[in-house]
Amino acid sequence: MEKLSLPLESCIPKLTRAQMRGLPEMRELLILAEHALQSPLQLAKVDVLAQLNYAEESFPLLAFRFGPDDPSLPTFAIFGGFHGLERIGTQVVMSYLRTLLELSRWDRITIEMLTTTRLLLVPIVNPVGMYLQRRSNGNNVDLMRNAPVQAEGLSPWHLFGGHRLTPRLPWYRGKEGAPMELESQAIYEFVKREIFPAKVAISIDVHSGYGTFDRLWFPFAKNRLPLPDLPEVIALKHLLDQVHPNHIYCIEPQSRQYLAHGDLWDYVYDEYRQIQPDGHFIPFTLEMGSWLWVKKNWIQIFSSLGMFNPRLPHRVKRTLRRHLFLFDLLHRAVRSPEPWQGLEPSERERLLQLGLKLWYAKP
Ligand SMILES: [Zn+2]
Protein backbone atom coordinates (compact mmCIF):
# COMPACT_ATOMS: atom_id res chain seq x y z
CA MET A 1 0.00 0.00 0.00
CA GLU A 2 1.42 3.31 -1.07
CA LYS A 3 0.80 6.37 1.13
CA LEU A 4 0.35 9.75 -0.47
CA SER A 5 2.60 12.38 0.98
CA LEU A 6 2.37 16.14 0.74
CA PRO A 7 2.43 17.98 -1.53
CA LEU A 8 -0.19 16.18 -3.53
CA GLU A 9 0.24 18.41 -6.58
CA SER A 10 2.73 15.83 -7.73
CA CYS A 11 -0.14 13.35 -7.94
CA ILE A 12 -2.47 15.52 -10.02
CA PRO A 13 -0.23 15.84 -13.08
CA LYS A 14 -0.07 12.05 -13.18
CA LEU A 15 -3.47 12.14 -14.82
CA THR A 16 -3.01 12.41 -18.55
CA ARG A 17 -5.05 14.74 -20.69
CA ALA A 18 -7.13 11.76 -21.86
CA GLN A 19 -7.78 10.71 -18.27
CA MET A 20 -8.86 14.18 -17.23
CA ARG A 21 -11.27 14.29 -20.15
CA GLY A 22 -12.56 10.74 -19.72
CA LEU A 23 -12.59 10.62 -15.93
CA PRO A 24 -13.33 14.05 -14.43
CA GLU A 25 -14.37 12.29 -11.21
CA MET A 26 -10.75 11.21 -10.64
CA ARG A 27 -9.50 14.74 -11.02
CA GLU A 28 -12.10 15.92 -8.53
CA LEU A 29 -11.14 13.13 -6.17
CA LEU A 30 -7.47 14.10 -6.30
CA ILE A 31 -8.40 17.69 -5.54
CA LEU A 32 -10.47 16.52 -2.56
CA ALA A 33 -7.49 14.42 -1.42
CA GLU A 34 -5.29 17.47 -1.67
CA HIS A 35 -7.76 19.50 0.42
CA ALA A 36 -8.02 16.74 2.98
CA LEU A 37 -4.27 16.33 3.34
CA GLN A 38 -3.50 20.02 3.40
CA SER A 39 -6.15 20.98 5.95
CA PRO A 40 -4.47 22.32 9.09
CA LEU A 41 -6.21 19.70 11.21
CA GLN A 42 -4.85 16.78 9.13
CA LEU A 43 -8.05 14.83 9.67
CA ALA A 44 -7.69 12.47 6.72
CA LYS A 45 -5.16 9.98 5.53
CA VAL A 46 -5.17 8.92 1.89
CA ASP A 47 -3.94 5.53 0.73
CA VAL A 48 -3.35 4.25 -2.79
CA LEU A 49 -4.76 0.71 -2.55
CA ALA A 50 -3.64 -0.25 -6.05
CA GLN A 51 -2.41 1.23 -9.27
CA LEU A 52 -4.59 0.05 -12.17
CA ASN A 53 -3.13 -0.03 -15.64
CA TYR A 54 -4.99 -0.07 -18.92
CA ALA A 55 -3.24 0.36 -22.28
CA GLU A 56 -1.00 3.40 -21.80
CA GLU A 57 -2.97 4.73 -18.84
CA SER A 58 -2.58 4.15 -15.10
CA PHE A 59 -5.15 5.02 -12.44
CA PRO A 60 -4.87 5.04 -8.63
CA LEU A 61 -7.44 3.28 -6.44
CA LEU A 62 -7.74 5.81 -3.61
CA ALA A 63 -9.06 5.36 -0.07
CA PHE A 64 -9.67 8.07 2.52
CA ARG A 65 -9.44 7.31 6.23
CA PHE A 66 -10.66 9.54 9.04
CA GLY A 67 -10.48 8.96 12.77
CA PRO A 68 -8.15 6.97 14.98
CA ASP A 69 -5.81 4.45 13.36
CA ASP A 70 -6.90 1.60 15.65
CA PRO A 71 -8.99 -0.67 13.35
CA SER A 72 -10.62 -2.43 16.31
CA LEU A 73 -12.74 0.70 16.91
CA PRO A 74 -16.24 1.01 15.41
CA THR A 75 -15.97 1.78 11.71
CA PHE A 76 -18.20 3.14 8.96
CA ALA A 77 -17.15 2.74 5.32
CA ILE A 78 -18.60 4.04 2.04
CA PHE A 79 -17.73 2.63 -1.39
CA GLY A 80 -18.71 3.76 -4.89
CA GLY A 81 -17.88 3.16 -8.51
CA PHE A 82 -17.65 -0.63 -8.59
CA HIS A 83 -19.48 -0.42 -11.90
CA GLY A 84 -17.96 2.02 -14.34
CA LEU A 85 -21.25 3.12 -15.88
CA GLU A 86 -22.71 4.13 -12.54
CA ARG A 87 -20.89 7.44 -12.24
CA ILE A 88 -23.61 8.95 -10.09
CA GLY A 89 -22.70 6.54 -7.25
CA THR A 90 -19.16 7.88 -7.17
CA GLN A 91 -20.48 11.44 -7.31
CA VAL A 92 -22.82 10.75 -4.37
CA VAL A 93 -19.89 9.45 -2.26
CA MET A 94 -17.74 12.44 -3.25
CA SER A 95 -20.61 14.78 -2.41
CA TYR A 96 -20.58 13.46 1.17
CA LEU A 97 -16.78 13.69 1.32
CA ARG A 98 -16.88 17.29 0.13
CA THR A 99 -19.55 18.21 2.71
CA LEU A 100 -17.47 16.67 5.50
CA LEU A 101 -14.29 18.45 4.39
CA GLU A 102 -16.09 21.79 4.22
CA LEU A 103 -17.79 21.28 7.60
CA SER A 104 -14.50 20.24 9.16
CA ARG A 105 -13.09 23.71 8.44
CA TRP A 106 -15.31 25.27 11.10
CA ASP A 107 -17.89 22.88 12.62
CA ARG A 108 -16.72 21.51 15.98
CA ILE A 109 -19.24 18.66 15.93
CA THR A 110 -17.95 17.37 12.57
CA ILE A 111 -14.34 17.74 13.71
CA GLU A 112 -15.16 15.79 16.85
CA MET A 113 -16.92 13.06 14.81
CA LEU A 114 -14.05 12.78 12.33
CA THR A 115 -11.35 12.64 14.98
CA THR A 116 -13.05 10.10 17.23
CA THR A 117 -14.94 7.82 14.82
CA ARG A 118 -13.40 5.80 12.04
CA LEU A 119 -14.74 6.65 8.60
CA LEU A 120 -13.43 5.12 5.36
CA LEU A 121 -14.32 6.27 1.85
CA VAL A 122 -13.43 4.66 -1.47
CA PRO A 123 -15.35 6.67 -4.10
CA ILE A 124 -13.94 5.08 -7.32
CA VAL A 125 -13.31 1.35 -7.03
CA ASN A 126 -13.23 0.80 -10.80
CA PRO A 127 -11.58 3.85 -12.42
CA VAL A 128 -10.66 1.95 -15.59
CA GLY A 129 -14.29 0.90 -16.17
CA MET A 130 -15.45 4.46 -15.55
CA TYR A 131 -12.84 5.79 -17.95
CA LEU A 132 -13.91 3.28 -20.61
CA GLN A 133 -17.60 3.87 -19.89
CA ARG A 134 -18.33 0.27 -19.18
CA ARG A 135 -19.73 -1.67 -16.24
CA SER A 136 -16.84 -4.09 -15.93
CA ASN A 137 -13.16 -3.41 -15.25
CA GLY A 138 -10.32 -3.28 -17.82
CA ASN A 139 -10.40 -7.09 -18.17
CA ASN A 140 -14.16 -7.11 -18.82
CA VAL A 141 -14.84 -8.64 -15.42
CA ASP A 142 -17.85 -7.51 -13.37
CA LEU A 143 -16.37 -6.68 -9.95
CA MET A 144 -19.65 -7.51 -8.22
CA ARG A 145 -19.70 -11.02 -9.72
CA ASN A 146 -16.01 -11.73 -9.16
CA ALA A 147 -15.68 -13.00 -5.56
CA PRO A 148 -15.36 -16.77 -4.96
CA VAL A 149 -19.03 -17.23 -4.02
CA GLN A 150 -21.40 -19.59 -5.79
CA ALA A 151 -25.09 -18.67 -5.62
CA GLU A 152 -27.49 -21.49 -4.80
CA GLY A 153 -29.99 -22.69 -7.37
CA LEU A 154 -29.20 -20.07 -10.01
CA SER A 155 -29.73 -21.24 -13.59
CA PRO A 156 -26.57 -20.99 -15.78
CA TRP A 157 -28.70 -19.05 -18.27
CA HIS A 158 -29.50 -16.37 -15.77
CA LEU A 159 -26.65 -14.24 -17.13
CA PHE A 160 -27.51 -11.20 -15.02
CA GLY A 161 -26.57 -13.17 -11.89
CA GLY A 162 -23.03 -13.75 -13.23
CA HIS A 163 -21.64 -16.17 -15.82
CA ARG A 164 -18.39 -17.51 -17.20
CA LEU A 165 -19.49 -17.79 -20.85
CA THR A 166 -17.52 -14.94 -22.37
CA PRO A 167 -16.07 -11.59 -21.28
CA ARG A 168 -17.90 -10.06 -24.21
CA LEU A 169 -21.18 -10.23 -22.32
CA PRO A 170 -21.84 -8.09 -19.24
CA TRP A 171 -21.85 -9.70 -15.76
CA TYR A 172 -18.80 -11.87 -16.60
CA ARG A 173 -17.38 -13.43 -13.41
CA GLY A 174 -13.81 -14.06 -14.63
CA LYS A 175 -12.19 -17.42 -15.35
CA GLU A 176 -12.98 -20.38 -13.11
CA GLY A 177 -10.34 -20.70 -10.36
CA ALA A 178 -8.59 -17.44 -11.29
CA PRO A 179 -7.70 -15.08 -8.42
CA MET A 180 -9.96 -12.11 -7.88
CA GLU A 181 -9.33 -9.07 -10.06
CA LEU A 182 -6.86 -6.48 -8.74
CA GLU A 183 -9.66 -4.06 -7.73
CA SER A 184 -11.66 -6.74 -5.86
CA GLN A 185 -8.50 -8.01 -4.20
CA ALA A 186 -7.50 -4.50 -3.14
CA ILE A 187 -10.92 -3.82 -1.61
CA TYR A 188 -10.94 -7.21 0.11
CA GLU A 189 -7.49 -6.57 1.62
CA PHE A 190 -8.52 -3.06 2.65
CA VAL A 191 -11.68 -4.33 4.38
CA LYS A 192 -9.72 -7.14 6.03
CA ARG A 193 -7.15 -4.69 7.38
CA GLU A 194 -9.42 -1.76 8.26
CA ILE A 195 -12.76 -3.37 9.18
CA PHE A 196 -12.27 -6.99 10.24
CA PRO A 197 -10.60 -6.07 13.57
CA ALA A 198 -13.69 -3.99 14.53
CA LYS A 199 -16.46 -5.50 16.64
CA VAL A 200 -18.90 -2.95 15.22
CA ALA A 201 -18.92 -1.88 11.58
CA ILE A 202 -21.28 -0.76 8.85
CA SER A 203 -20.47 -0.23 5.20
CA ILE A 204 -22.50 1.04 2.29
CA ASP A 205 -21.70 0.49 -1.37
CA VAL A 206 -23.48 2.86 -3.77
CA HIS A 207 -24.90 1.62 -7.11
CA SER A 208 -27.53 2.63 -9.64
CA GLY A 209 -29.34 1.00 -12.52
CA TYR A 210 -32.08 -1.10 -10.97
CA GLY A 211 -35.71 -0.33 -10.25
CA THR A 212 -37.77 2.80 -9.83
CA PHE A 213 -36.99 3.62 -6.21
CA ASP A 214 -34.00 3.61 -3.86
CA ARG A 215 -33.30 0.30 -2.16
CA LEU A 216 -31.07 -0.43 0.78
CA TRP A 217 -29.94 -4.01 0.48
CA PHE A 218 -28.17 -6.29 2.92
CA PRO A 219 -26.79 -9.84 2.36
CA PHE A 220 -27.29 -12.29 0.97
CA ALA A 221 -27.13 -12.22 -2.81
CA LYS A 222 -26.07 -15.88 -2.93
CA ASN A 223 -29.18 -17.40 -1.31
CA ARG A 224 -32.49 -16.56 0.30
CA LEU A 225 -31.47 -17.42 3.86
CA PRO A 226 -31.61 -14.83 6.64
CA LEU A 227 -28.24 -13.40 7.63
CA PRO A 228 -27.06 -14.05 11.21
CA ASP A 229 -27.20 -10.30 11.95
CA LEU A 230 -30.89 -10.03 11.07
CA PRO A 231 -31.81 -8.63 14.55
CA GLU A 232 -29.14 -5.93 14.19
CA VAL A 233 -30.41 -5.06 10.70
CA ILE A 234 -33.97 -4.69 12.00
CA ALA A 235 -32.68 -2.54 14.88
CA LEU A 236 -30.87 -0.31 12.34
CA LYS A 237 -34.02 -0.15 10.22
CA HIS A 238 -35.97 1.02 13.29
CA LEU A 239 -33.36 3.71 13.91
CA LEU A 240 -33.74 4.97 10.36
CA ASP A 241 -37.55 4.76 10.51
CA GLN A 242 -37.66 6.67 13.79
CA VAL A 243 -35.03 9.33 13.11
CA HIS A 244 -36.09 9.95 9.49
CA PRO A 245 -39.72 8.76 9.26
CA ASN A 246 -40.02 10.25 5.77
CA HIS A 247 -37.00 8.44 4.36
CA ILE A 248 -37.30 7.03 0.89
CA TYR A 249 -35.61 3.64 1.19
CA CYS A 250 -37.01 0.18 0.68
CA ILE A 251 -34.86 -1.91 3.05
CA GLU A 252 -34.64 -5.60 2.18
CA PRO A 253 -32.24 -8.51 1.61
CA GLN A 254 -30.80 -8.38 -1.90
CA SER A 255 -32.14 -11.89 -2.53
CA ARG A 256 -35.70 -10.47 -2.55
CA GLN A 257 -34.85 -8.94 -5.94
CA TYR A 258 -32.38 -11.37 -7.51
CA LEU A 259 -29.63 -13.85 -6.70
CA ALA A 260 -26.07 -13.38 -7.96
CA HIS A 261 -22.78 -15.25 -7.97
CA GLY A 262 -19.59 -13.66 -6.76
CA ASP A 263 -21.01 -10.84 -4.63
CA LEU A 264 -18.03 -9.29 -2.83
CA TRP A 265 -20.13 -8.27 0.20
CA ASP A 266 -21.43 -11.81 0.68
CA TYR A 267 -17.83 -12.99 0.62
CA VAL A 268 -16.55 -10.32 2.98
CA TYR A 269 -19.48 -10.79 5.37
CA ASP A 270 -18.89 -14.55 5.71
CA GLU A 271 -15.15 -14.06 6.18
CA TYR A 272 -15.75 -11.46 8.88
CA ARG A 273 -18.09 -13.85 10.72
CA GLN A 274 -15.32 -16.44 10.84
CA ILE A 275 -12.93 -13.96 12.44
CA GLN A 276 -15.39 -12.06 14.65
CA PRO A 277 -18.19 -14.46 15.58
CA ASP A 278 -19.38 -12.01 18.28
CA GLY A 279 -18.91 -8.88 16.15
CA HIS A 280 -21.40 -7.13 13.90
CA PHE A 281 -20.48 -5.93 10.44
CA ILE A 282 -23.41 -5.01 8.20
CA PRO A 283 -22.47 -4.37 4.56
CA PHE A 284 -25.34 -2.47 2.94
CA THR A 285 -25.73 -1.75 -0.75
CA LEU A 286 -27.56 1.40 -1.82
CA GLU A 287 -29.18 0.69 -5.19
CA MET A 288 -30.49 3.98 -6.53
CA GLY A 289 -33.62 3.55 -8.63
CA SER A 290 -32.43 4.86 -11.96
CA TRP A 291 -35.43 3.72 -13.99
CA LEU A 292 -37.32 6.69 -12.61
CA TRP A 293 -34.80 9.07 -14.18
CA VAL A 294 -35.32 7.24 -17.49
CA LYS A 295 -39.11 7.31 -17.11
CA LYS A 296 -39.03 11.07 -16.59
CA ASN A 297 -36.57 11.69 -19.42
CA TRP A 298 -36.98 8.71 -21.78
CA ILE A 299 -34.59 10.04 -24.40
CA GLN A 300 -31.63 9.12 -22.16
CA ILE A 301 -32.32 5.45 -22.82
CA PHE A 302 -30.36 5.95 -26.05
CA SER A 303 -27.10 6.78 -24.29
CA SER A 304 -24.81 4.19 -22.69
CA LEU A 305 -24.76 6.09 -19.40
CA GLY A 306 -28.43 7.04 -19.58
CA MET A 307 -29.83 3.94 -17.88
CA PHE A 308 -27.61 4.45 -14.84
CA ASN A 309 -27.34 8.19 -14.24
CA PRO A 310 -29.64 11.20 -13.98
CA ARG A 311 -28.95 13.60 -16.87
CA LEU A 312 -30.92 16.74 -16.13
CA PRO A 313 -29.00 19.12 -13.84
CA HIS A 314 -31.77 19.52 -11.25
CA ARG A 315 -32.11 15.73 -11.00
CA VAL A 316 -28.34 15.30 -10.56
CA LYS A 317 -28.36 17.89 -7.77
CA ARG A 318 -31.32 16.23 -6.09
CA THR A 319 -29.56 12.87 -6.19
CA LEU A 320 -26.34 14.31 -4.80
CA ARG A 321 -28.10 15.72 -1.73
CA ARG A 322 -30.67 12.92 -1.31
CA HIS A 323 -28.51 10.42 0.58
CA LEU A 324 -26.40 12.67 2.80
CA PHE A 325 -28.71 12.15 5.78
CA LEU A 326 -28.44 8.36 5.40
CA PHE A 327 -24.63 8.42 5.49
CA ASP A 328 -24.79 10.77 8.46
CA LEU A 329 -27.16 8.46 10.32
CA LEU A 330 -25.01 5.36 9.70
CA HIS A 331 -21.92 7.31 10.74
CA ARG A 332 -23.68 8.17 14.00
CA ALA A 333 -24.88 4.58 14.37
CA VAL A 334 -21.28 3.32 14.57
CA ARG A 335 -20.34 6.11 16.94
CA SER A 336 -23.30 5.37 19.24
CA PRO A 337 -24.03 1.70 18.52
CA GLU A 338 -25.94 0.85 21.72
CA PRO A 339 -29.41 0.90 20.10
CA TRP A 340 -28.51 -1.79 17.57
CA GLN A 341 -25.69 -3.96 18.88
CA GLY A 342 -24.97 -5.68 22.20
CA LEU A 343 -28.71 -6.41 22.40
CA GLU A 344 -30.18 -8.58 25.19
CA PRO A 345 -30.92 -12.17 24.02
CA SER A 346 -34.68 -11.70 24.46
CA GLU A 347 -34.60 -8.49 22.41
CA ARG A 348 -32.52 -10.19 19.71
CA GLU A 349 -35.08 -12.98 19.54
CA ARG A 350 -37.95 -10.49 19.26
CA LEU A 351 -36.21 -8.60 16.47
CA LEU A 352 -35.26 -11.84 14.72
CA GLN A 353 -38.94 -12.86 14.59
CA LEU A 354 -39.87 -9.42 13.24
CA GLY A 355 -37.21 -9.70 10.52
CA LEU A 356 -38.22 -13.23 9.55
CA LYS A 357 -41.85 -12.17 9.25
CA LEU A 358 -41.03 -9.03 7.30
CA TRP A 359 -38.62 -10.47 4.72
CA TYR A 360 -38.46 -14.26 4.78
CA ALA A 361 -42.02 -15.52 5.39
CA LYS A 362 -43.38 -17.68 2.56
CA PRO A 363 -46.35 -15.92 0.93
ZN1 LIG B 1 -23.80 -1.45 -9.82
Side-chain angles (χ1 to χ4, degrees), residues 5 23 42 54 157 167 193 205 209 236 250 256 305 340 344-345:
S5 55
L23 192 52
Q42 301 265 305
Y54 183 84
W157 299 108
R193 187 175 64 245
D205 173 22
L236 280 168
C250 167
R256 291 259 290 199
L305 296 171
W340 67 275
E344 292 292 323

Side-chain angles (χ1 to χ4, degrees), residues 142-192:
D142 186 330
L143 299 176
M144 263 304 142
R145 305 287 187 271
N146 183 228
V149 179
Q150 190 71 13
E152 293 161 23
L154 194 57
S155 148
W157 299 108
H158 191 286
L159 300 187
F160 180 65
H163 65 85
R164 298 195 195 280
L165 299 176
T166 164
R168 287 164 197 240
L169 289 169
W171 315 297
Y172 178 62
R173 297 175 65 187
K175 281 204 183 91
E176 175 100 57
M180 281 195 287
E181 291 295 297
L182 193 51
E183 298 89 339
S184 313
Q185 190 66 40
I187 296 300
Y188 172 66
E189 293 295 336
F190 177 69
V191 170
K192 212 163 119 179

Side-chain angles (χ1 to χ4, degrees), residues 81-86 135 142 144-145 205-210 258 285-287 308:
F82 266 90
H83 292 136
L85 288 171
E86 301 165 17
R135 176 183 170 92
D142 186 330
M144 263 304 142
R145 305 287 187 271
D205 173 22
V206 185
H207 290 253
S208 61
Y210 182 87
Y258 61 85
T285 296
L286 167 58
E287 185 70 53
F308 301 92

Side-chain angles (χ1 to χ4, degrees), residues 67-218:
D69 281 331
D70 180 359
S72 68
L73 295 173
T75 302
F76 175 44
I78 313 179
F79 299 86
F82 266 90
H83 292 136
L85 288 171
E86 301 165 17
R87 306 186 94 110
I88 188 68
T90 283
Q91 291 163 16
V92 164
V93 180
M94 289 203 297
S95 164
Y96 185 55
L97 175 58
R98 178 178 288 275
T99 297
L100 287 176
L101 290 175
E102 286 300 325
L103 280 172
S104 70
R105 288 150 74 104
W106 56 271
D107 174 44
R108 289 190 196 91
I109 295 169
T110 302
I111 294 167
E112 205 264 339
M113 279 282 276
L114 291 178
T115 45
T116 58
T117 308
R118 283 171 54 77
L119 170 67
L120 316 171
L121 295 108
V122 187
I124 313 181
V125 172
N126 178 14
V128 176
M130 203 168 282
Y131 175 69
L132 297 172
Q133 298 202 8
R134 60 158 93 134
R135 176 183 170 92
S136 56
N137 74 350
N139 298 328
N140 278 316
V141 175
D142 186 330
L143 299 176
M144 263 304 142
R145 305 287 187 271
N146 183 228
V149 179
Q150 190 71 13
E152 293 161 23
L154 194 57
S155 148
W157 299 108
H158 191 286
L159 300 187
F160 180 65
H163 65 85
R164 298 195 195 280
L165 299 176
T166 164
R168 287 164 197 240
L169 289 169
W171 315 297
Y172 178 62
R173 297 175 65 187
K175 281 204 183 91
E176 175 100 57
M180 281 195 287
E181 291 295 297
L182 193 51
E183 298 89 339
S184 313
Q185 190 66 40
I187 296 300
Y188 172 66
E189 293 295 336
F190 177 69
V191 170
K192 212 163 119 179
R193 187 175 64 245
E194 301 292 340
I195 297 184
F196 279 17
K199 289 263 187 234
V200 173
I202 296 174
S203 67
I204 186 159
D205 173 22
V206 185
H207 290 253
S208 61
Y210 182 87
T212 50
F213 46 87
D214 296 336
R215 296 167 193 274
L216 205 48
W217 283 337
F218 54 86

Side-chain angles (χ1 to χ4, degrees), residues 276-343:
Q276 296 275 20
D278 307 326
H280 299 290
F281 168 35
I282 317 291
F284 285 108
T285 296
L286 167 58
E287 185 70 53
M288 294 183 286
S290 63
W291 298 352
L292 199 64
W293 304 323
V294 178
K295 207 167 109 187
K296 289 185 173 173
N297 187 36
W298 61 269
I299 203 147
Q300 67 186 62
I301 206 165
F302 298 110
S303 97
S304 63
L305 296 171
M307 284 299 286
F308 301 92
N309 302 280
R311 299 306 289 269
L312 300 178
H314 72 279
R315 211 158 280 142
V316 173
K317 286 178 101 171
R318 189 183 301 158
T319 308
L320 294 184
R321 65 177 180 257
R322 189 176 167 96
H323 307 287
L324 300 181
F325 77 92
L326 172 69
F327 298 158
D328 182 64
L329 182 93
L330 296 177
H331 196 185
R332 287 165 193 271
V334 298
R335 177 169 171 71
S336 309
E338 295 76 16
W340 67 275
Q341 69 86 46
L343 303 167

